[in-house]
Amino acid sequence: MNPTYNFTGQVALVTGASSGLGFATAKAFAEAGAKVVMSADKEETLTSAASKLAAAGHEVLAIVCDVANEADVAKLVEQTVAEFGRLDMAFNNAGIQGPHEAFTVTSAEAYDAVNNVNLRGVWACMKHELLQMEKQGSGVIVNCSSLGGLVGQAGRAAYHGTKHGVLGLTKSAGVEYAARGIRVNAVCPGVFDTPMLANMKKSKPEELNQVIAAQPIGRLGDSTELAAAVLWLCSPGASFVIGSGLSVDGGFTAQ
C-alpha cells in the first residue's frame, strides 16, 4: 500500500499529463487533495484526460502547451497562478522518444526535435516555475529523466543525451535554489506499462518479452509506482532531498 499525502490547498502542475506516467501522477496529486493543472500539446487527448479527474470531483485545469515553445510555457505558469493563485509543485514530465538509430545516421533535425522537447522544454518549464516559486519562497520541482539519464545504450544517443542533460539541470538548480526554500529533484523511470509500449505489445511481443526478462524485478513498472515516487519527492518526507535523480526502474540500473 502506498503512503497517503495531504496536499489540500496546494497547486500541482503536470506536463505531458494526458496519458501514461503524467496522467497517473496528475491523478495521484488530485486524489491527495491538490488542485491540478494538466498540460499537454494535443487538446483533444488532454481534455479527455482532464474530464476524467473532474468527473471524480477533483479541481482540475487543462492547458494546452508545447513545452518546446518558451512563450507557451510562460503562459502556462501565468494561467496557473491566475486561476489558483500559486504554484507549489511541478512534475516536468513531457517528453518524446526520439530516433532509435546509429549515431552517425541521426540528422540534425531529428536531434533538435528531441532536444527541444526533452531538454530545452524542461529548462523552459523550470525557468518559469522557479520564477513563481521564488516569489512565494517555496516550491518543489520534479523533473522526469530516465534510466537513459544514467546509462548509455546503442542507437539511443539523442534521447539519452537529453535525459543526462535533465539530470544536469536538476543538480544545478537544486544547489542554486535549496537555500531559497525550493527543492528540485528528478525521477529516472525504467520501463513502464504505458501507451508508449502499445506498439511493441502488438508488433514486437518477443522483443517486449526480452525487455521484461532484463528487469531484475521480472516485470514492467506500473504508472502508479512512478506517481508514488513523485509524490514522495514533493512531500515533507523528502525535505532533505536536493538535486537527486531517483531511480524508479525495478533494479535495472543496479545491475
Side-chain angles (χ1 to χ4, degrees), residues 243-254:
S244 71
L246 177 63
S247 298
V248 190
D249 64 359
F252 185 85
T253 54

Side-chain angles (χ1 to χ4, degrees), residues 2-3 5 24-25 28 222-234 246:
N2 287 332
Y5 302 100
T25 304
D222 184 88
S223 296
T224 60
E225 294 174 302
L226 192 279
V230 175
L231 264 65
W232 175 71
L233 285 171
C234 289
L246 177 63

Side-chain angles (χ1 to χ4, degrees), residues 139 170-179 181-186 233 238-245:
T170 298
K171 292 175 182 179
S172 293
V175 170
E176 184 173 348
Y177 285 87
I182 301 168
R183 293 190 297 106
V184 184
N185 290 290
L233 285 171
S239 58
F240 203 59
V241 182
I242 302 289
S244 71

Side-chain angles (χ1 to χ4, degrees), residues 40-52:
D41 63 348
K42 294 180 176 61
E43 184 173 7
E44 184 177 351
T45 53
L46 176 62
T47 301
S48 175
S51 67
K52 293 176 183 177

Side-chain angles (χ1 to χ4, degrees), residues 97-152:
Q97 283 286 350
H100 191 175
E101 59 195 10
F103 197 110
T104 54
V105 171
T106 301
S107 67
E109 291 77 14
Y111 177 84
D112 287 343
V114 66
N115 191 74
N116 285 343
V117 175
N118 290 7
L119 186 56
R120 190 179 187 280
V122 170
W123 165 81
C125 288
M126 291 175 68
K127 175 181 177 179
H128 292 278
E129 292 157 0
L130 287 166
L131 284 167
Q132 173 59 31
M133 290 176 177
E134 193 168 21
K135 292 177 185 176
Q136 300 169 181
S138 64
V140 183
I141 293 174
V142 178
N143 296 318
C144 193
S145 180
S146 166
L147 68 83
L150 300 170
V151 303

